[in-house]
């Protein structure tokens, strides 16, 4: 990001902060609910969330 978008080191770090925060929150929630629902539900949810970005075109 620094070379392509011309961000400073601090700007590049701050650009990833929202993603890191979401990952931390979701991982915490998944850890608590995994024994109750099992991994299949989380795998399906991940696939549905990532499908728009994985679709070609």
């Amino acid at each position: 990001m620094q070379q392509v978008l011309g961000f400073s080191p601090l700007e590049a770090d701050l650009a990833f902060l929202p993603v890191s925060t979401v990952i931390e929150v979701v991982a915490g929630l998944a850890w608590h609910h995994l024994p109750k629902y099992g991994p299949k539900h989380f795998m399906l949810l991940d696939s549905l969330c990532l499908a728009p970005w994985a679709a070609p075109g």
Side-chain angles (χ1 to χ4, degrees):
M1 287 183 75
Q2 293 175 356
Q3 292 177 355
V4 175
L5 298 177
F7 285 3
S8 71
L10 181 60
E11 289 173 325
D13 188 36
L14 292 175
F16 284 108
L17 188 60
V19 175
S20 301
T21 304
V22 169
I23 289 172
E24 184 177 341
V25 170
V26 171
L29 292 173
W31 181 78
H32 287 292
H33 295 291
L34 189 61
K36 183 177 180 181
Y37 297 108
K40 289 183 183 179
H41 292 92
F42 291 101
M43 292 169 58
L44 177 64
L45 182 62
D46 287 343
S47 298
L48 292 175
C49 289
L50 294 175
W53 290 278

